[in-house]
């Protein structure tokens, strides 16, 4: 891989992925809305501002830079999608459709899409088998499952090297505000900033399959470097450990004994996180491209404290 286009390139995953790709010698074009542009740009960051719905601009960019891979991360998240479903459809679904067609028309070859466990909907089996039917009940999940299907169509019909990972909740020091799943990340940050209390919008006993951000980034890199012929599935679900609010509270209290979680469940967050499984079968990823996360919950908590101190 010589050149890559990363949409959502100023986001939580996009910036770290871009750094990782650059460290492998890949020239990276990070694409994001101007409002997302970071203040602390790295010297070698090439950031292009624009809207992913502007397919004429993306066509110009692809023709100019000739990427051999697109990492498509630009998206509205769970909360923001539910709040504006028209815009969520345009950004998450229509723009993805247009971008995959541009990838095909310009011989980009490899197209990575970041999907989510929210494509399965609530009340699924736990542990979640990968082949569980995907019937999302939130608009975010509906847009994501639509793109999964479109990607598979373009792969089977036109040979696009479509690759897709379904992430569970991601714990990250850079967790975006628009995700219903971001509260544990924000709780760590609040405690490290000296706050002695934080409102958890989900009951403490509700568990959710979780990954630490560093494992997310290495999964994207390793999967996209994997031999195409060894990938037996169109998409893979990933899992590392179960995380509950009370585990987050306990971990923070060990470090900051005065800290208290205030549990004030919000229906939408409780519904989404309560509906996600604690454990996900990720054996296909482990077998096909040797997926193996480095971080368990304790390792994640230690790293979050280190990064915020
Ligand atoms: N963080 C998680 O828990 C999680 C879990 C599962 C899947 N994902 C997926 O991973 C991807 C990255 O998520 P993230 O955590 O980095 O979120 P993020 O919000 O930090 O990043 C998304 C980026 O997309 C950009 N974007 C939004 N609308 C755009 C538009 N119209 N044009 C151009 N850019 C636009 C945003 O500015 C943002 O920088 C998303 O596709 C998300 O659905 C994230």
């Amino acid at each position: 891989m010589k050149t890559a286009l990363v949409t959502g390139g100023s986001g939580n995953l996009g910036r770290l992925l871009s750094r990782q790709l650059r460290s492998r010698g890949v020239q990276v074009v990070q694409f994001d809305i101007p409002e997302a542009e970071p203040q602390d740009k790295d010297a070698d960051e090439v950031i292009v501002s624009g809207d992913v719905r502007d397919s004429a601009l993306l066509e110009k960019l692809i023709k100019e830079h000739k990427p051999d891979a697109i990492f498509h991360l630009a998206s509205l998240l769970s909360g923001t999608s539910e709040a504006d479903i028209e815009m969520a459809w345009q950004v998450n679904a229509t723009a993805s459709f247009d971008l995959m067609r541009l990838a095909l028309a310009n011989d980009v070859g490899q197209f990575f899409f970041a999907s989510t466990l929210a494509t399965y909907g609530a009340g699924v089996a736990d542990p979640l088998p990968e082949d569980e039917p995907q019937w999302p009940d939130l608009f975010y999940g509906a847009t994501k499952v639509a793109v999964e299907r479109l990607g598979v169509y373009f792969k089977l019909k036109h040979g696009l090297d479509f690759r897709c990972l379904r992430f569970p909740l991601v714990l990250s020091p850079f967790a975006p505000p628009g995700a219903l799943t971001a509260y544990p990340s924000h709780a760590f940050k609040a405690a490290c900033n000296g706050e002695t209390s934080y409102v958890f919008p989900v009951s403490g006993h509700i568990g959710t399959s979780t990954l630490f951000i560093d494992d997310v980034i290495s999964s994207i890199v390793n999967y996209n470097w994997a031999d195409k012929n060894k990938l037996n599935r169109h998409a893979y679900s990933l899992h590392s450990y179960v995380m509950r609010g009370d585990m987050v509270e306990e971990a923070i209290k060990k470090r900051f004994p005065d800290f208290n979680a205030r549990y004030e469940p919000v229906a939408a967050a409780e519904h989404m996180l309560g509906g996600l499984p604690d454990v996900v079968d990720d054996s296909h990823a482990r077998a096909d491209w040797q997926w193996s996360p480095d971080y368990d919950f304790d390792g994640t908590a230690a790293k979050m404290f280190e990064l915020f101190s």
Side-chain angles (χ1 to χ4, degrees):
M1 191 180 299
K2 291 196 184 100
T3 308
L5 170 64
V6 179
T7 73
S10 299
N12 176 30
L13 272 58
R15 268 199 100 189
L16 294 178
L17 174 65
S18 299
R19 268 187 202 154
Q20 192 57 238
L21 293 173
R22 285 200 301 276
S23 76
R24 292 188 158 227
V26 179
Q27 284 200 323
V28 183
V29 180
Q30 292 167 242
F31 183 84
D32 210 308
I33 50 174
E35 300 88 302
E37 179 142 349
Q39 307 282 318
D40 58 337
K41 250 172 53 174
D42 295 345
D44 53 352
E45 267 185 299
V46 178
I47 300 187
V48 177
S49 289
D51 194 307
V52 78
R53 290 171 292 176
D54 185 349
S55 68
L57 174 60
L58 281 160
E59 182 171 19
K60 190 167 159 276
L61 208 58
I62 290 171
K63 287 196 186 305
E64 187 184 336
H65 293 276
K66 300 186 176 35
D68 35 37
I70 293 177
F71 294 84
H72 182 37
L73 310 180
S75 178
L76 297 198
L77 304 182
S78 45
T80 37
S81 293
E82 211 59 34
D84 188 344
I85 61 171
E86 282 87 4
M87 182 150 154
W89 186 256
Q90 290 164 16
V91 173
N92 295 9
T94 308
S96 301
F97 171 75
D98 290 344
L99 195 55
M100 283 190 269
R101 294 182 80 194
L102 283 175
L104 276 171
N106 292 280
D107 298 322
V108 170
Q110 207 162 315
F111 189 101
F112 172 76
F113 178 63
S115 191
T116 161
L117 281 191
T119 53
Y120 286 100
V124 287
D126 193 353
L128 177 71
E130 208 156 27
D131 288 326
E132 182 87 350
Q134 288 168 290
W135 292 110
D137 52 357
L138 285 176
F139 200 76
Y140 171 65
T143 63
K144 292 284 187 175
V145 80
V147 179
E148 285 194 19
R149 296 296 173 273
L150 290 171
V152 173
Y153 167 81
F154 285 125
K155 178 179 174 181
L156 298 178
K157 184 95 178 174
H158 298 293
L160 182 70
D161 185 0
F162 176 76
R163 302 187 185 205
C164 173
L165 295 178
R166 290 183 205 106
F167 300 117
L169 185 149
V170 175
L171 265 166
S172 163
F174 314 105
L180 293 172
T181 51
Y183 82 90
S185 303
H186 294 154
F188 277 106
K189 186 173 185 177
C192 293
N193 283 342
E195 292 176 35
T196 50
S197 151
Y198 188 80
V199 174
F200 284 36
V202 175
S203 308
H205 68 276
I206 287 185
T208 308
S209 169
T210 301
L211 286 185
F212 181 54
I213 182 85
D214 287 9
D215 280 328
V216 171
I217 302 304
S218 60
S219 75
I220 299 175
V221 170
N222 292 340
Y223 173 51
N224 280 283
W225 255 261
D227 180 353
K228 189 175 160 183
N229 299 316
K230 299 222 165 103
L231 302 178
N232 295 306
R233 302 182 69 88
H234 301 309
Y236 294 85
S237 298
L238 302 186
H239 169 80
S240 182
Y241 52 84
V242 62
M243 184 277 315
R244 297 185 312 271
D246 57 13
M247 290 164 67
V248 174
E249 182 184 13
E250 196 186 313
I252 296 176
K253 267 176 176 293
K254 270 193 204 153
R255 175 95 170 202
F256 302 106
D258 292 342
F259 179 86
N260 278 302
R262 291 202 326 272
Y263 294 98
E264 295 177 13
V266 171
E270 186 105 339
H271 174 79
M272 180 175 171
L273 286 147
L276 291 175
D278 290 5
V279 178
V280 174
D281 174 16
D282 60 358
S283 52
H284 293 109
R286 289 175 188 265
D288 286 3
W289 48 276
Q290 289 70 56
W291 154 245
S292 172
D294 286 331
Y295 290 86
D296 59 9
F297 178 74
D298 291 342
T300 297
K303 193 76 187 177
M304 291 290 274
F305 291 131
E306 183 191 317
L307 291 168
F308 283 128
S309 59

